[in-house]
């Protein structure tokens, strides 16, 4: 198989890959995860975080090994593991998972916006506007997505610092 060269306009700096990874891992959940963990696990939840970190590393290692064996993407892995028919069902389940993740992200984002900024915002209208903005960003290309991740990382950091400072003042 011939190696293809990637045009410069489709490449991103290694420095910016860090911000893409952080934006994928942290997201909006960093603004409220402490309350959720404390509600369910109490204040001894630190051990569950460590166990989950080890578990995620094992799963990621398995995913890399599977992709290395198949030399392809997740759909190729499904076909390799399950066959032609069941792989389509597994890929469809994967799509449903990401749709559910998207809905969860939007609801969490709306919750933060309602609590901190606009308590009377219409959920449906904001969701539609947010999805249209997201589609516009994705159609802008990889560099636009990376730029938004870079901006979002700094915005989330500054916003969380503001929350902690505001909570100490009150």
């Amino acid at each position: 198989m011939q190696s293809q060269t990637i045009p410069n306009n489709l490449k991103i700096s290694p420095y910016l890959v860090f911000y893409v990874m952080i934006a994928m891992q942290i997201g909006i959940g960093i603004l409220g995860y402490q309350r959720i963990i404390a509600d369910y696990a109490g204040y001894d939840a630190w051990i569950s975080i460590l166990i989950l970190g080890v578990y995620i590393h094992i799963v990621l290692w398995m995913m890399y090994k599977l992709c290395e064996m198949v030399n392809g993407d997740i759909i190729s892995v499904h076909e390799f593991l399950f066959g032609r028919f069941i792989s389509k069902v597994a890929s469809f389940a994967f799509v449903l998972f990401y749709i559910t993740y998207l809905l969860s992200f939007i609801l969490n984002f709306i919750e933060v916006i309602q609590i901190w900024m606009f308590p009377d915002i219409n959920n449906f209208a904001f969701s539609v506007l947010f999805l249209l903005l997201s589609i516009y960003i994705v159609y802008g290309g990889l560099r636009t997505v990376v730029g938004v991740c870079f901006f979002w990382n700094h915005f989330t950091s500054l916003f969380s610092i503001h929350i902690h400072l505001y909570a100490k003042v009150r």
Side-chain angles (χ1 to χ4, degrees):
M1 192 164 141
Q2 295 179 3
S3 64
Q4 297 178 354
T5 59
I6 300 173
N8 284 335
N9 65 342
L10 297 179
K11 293 180 183 178
I12 58 173
S13 166
Y15 170 74
L16 294 174
V17 172
F18 171 77
Y19 291 103
V20 173
M21 290 174 53
I22 294 297
M24 287 176 14
Q25 292 175 1
I26 294 176
I28 193 75
I30 197 164
L31 298 175
Y33 78 93
Q34 300 94 343
R35 176 184 52 84
I36 296 168
I37 290 176
D39 286 346
Y40 289 105
Y43 294 101
D44 295 330
W46 64 272
I47 192 73
S48 64
I49 301 296
L50 293 177
I51 293 169
L52 184 66
V54 170
Y55 175 74
I56 287 174
H57 277 83
I58 292 170
V59 169
L60 281 174
W61 178 78
M62 291 168 44
M63 289 170 60
Y64 278 119
K65 287 299 175 185
L66 278 172
C67 286
E68 207 173 79
M69 284 174 40
V70 177
N71 198 15
D73 54 3
I74 190 70
I75 296 172
S76 303
V77 170
H78 285 164
E79 284 185 22
F80 176 75
L81 291 176
F82 305 122
R84 196 116 173 115
F85 177 72
I86 298 177
S87 71
K88 290 182 182 181
V89 174
S91 297
F92 182 71
F94 208 66
V95 169
L96 287 179
F97 167 75
Y98 275 108
I99 289 172
T100 306
Y101 178 75
L102 172 71
L103 292 175
S104 170
F105 177 82
I106 289 175
L107 289 175
N108 197 359
F109 191 75
I110 290 173
E111 178 187 8
V112 169
I113 296 293
Q114 282 180 335
I115 289 172
W116 290 100
M117 290 185 230
F118 306 112
D120 298 327
I121 196 168
N122 184 354
N123 290 350
F124 180 74
F126 184 77
S127 299
V128 168
L129 288 174
F130 184 76
L131 286 174
L132 288 174
L133 178 65
S134 300
I135 291 169
Y136 178 71
I137 290 169
V138 169
Y139 278 134
L142 179 65
R143 287 188 173 205
T144 307
V145 172
V146 171
V148 169
C149 290
F150 181 78
F151 170 75
W152 184 249
N153 186 339
H154 290 292
F155 174 76
T156 306
S157 300
L158 291 174
F159 191 66
S160 61
I161 290 170
H162 172 72
I163 290 170
H164 291 295
L165 290 176
Y166 180 73
K168 287 181 183 179
V169 170
R170 281 185 107 194

